[in-house]
């Protein structure tokens, strides 16, 4: 669903725009030139991970459904560290399985140890079935 332009423009100065489905994606920050100059780019990506376009599209749909940009988990627990941890995309390992030409399964599994937490999580991830058109077919 696309947000009408007038709602988007109205929301720019307001903080509650995510309530109407509008969220401006934060642009990535760039390192200072001196720090960036030390980076040596690889000559080959042979050893890297290759994600084909449809896989990347399915991954994006699943992640935006699972943990939308700007979202924050709420908890009744006075210790908010776990909620803060589970609100960060970097907390999750992501597994993608392509099943046929137009079916992708995307599994997000939390790794709270990345936040310095060693508490077990019984139900913190999710598995999504995404079709080649970017539609969610189901969640488990």
């Amino acid at each position: 669903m696309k947000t009408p332009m007038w709602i988007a423009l109205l929301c720019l100065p307001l903080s509650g725009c995510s309530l109407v489905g509008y969220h401006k994606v934060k642009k990535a920050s760039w390192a200072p030139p001196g720090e960036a100059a030390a980076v040596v780019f690889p000559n080959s990506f042979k050893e890297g991970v290759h994600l084909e376009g449809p896989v990347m599209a399915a991954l994006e749909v699943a992640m935006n459904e699972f943990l939308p940009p700007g979202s924050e988990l709420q908890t009744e627990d006075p210790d908010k560290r776990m909620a803060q941890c589970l609100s960060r995309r970097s907390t999750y390992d992501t597994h993608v399985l392509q099943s046929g030409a137009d079916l992708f399964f995307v599994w997000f599994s939390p790794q709270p140890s990345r936040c310095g937490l060693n508490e077990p999580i019984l139900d913190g991830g999710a598995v999504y079935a995404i079709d080649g058109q970017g539609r969610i077919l189901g969640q488990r």
Side-chain angles (χ1 to χ4, degrees), residues 48-115:
V49 176
H50 176 77
L51 298 176
E52 294 181 358
V55 173
M56 192 61 216
L59 177 58
E60 181 181 29
V61 167
M63 179 54 86
N64 286 338
E65 178 67 21
F66 178 65
L67 195 59
S71 65
E72 195 170 308
L73 298 176
Q74 302 298 317
T75 181
E76 299 294 323
D77 189 353
D79 183 2
K80 306 248 185 248
R81 292 179 305 146
M82 184 61 78
Q84 291 169 344
C85 180
L86 294 176
S87 294
R88 295 195 324 236
R89 289 182 170 194
S90 60
T91 298
Y92 298 88
D93 282 349
T94 305
H95 314 268
V96 181
L97 173 66
Q98 185 170 358
S99 179
D102 276 353
L103 181 59
F104 305 89
F105 294 96
V106 182
W107 171 33
F108 300 109
S109 60
Q111 304 300 321
S113 60
R114 290 195 181 119
C115 305

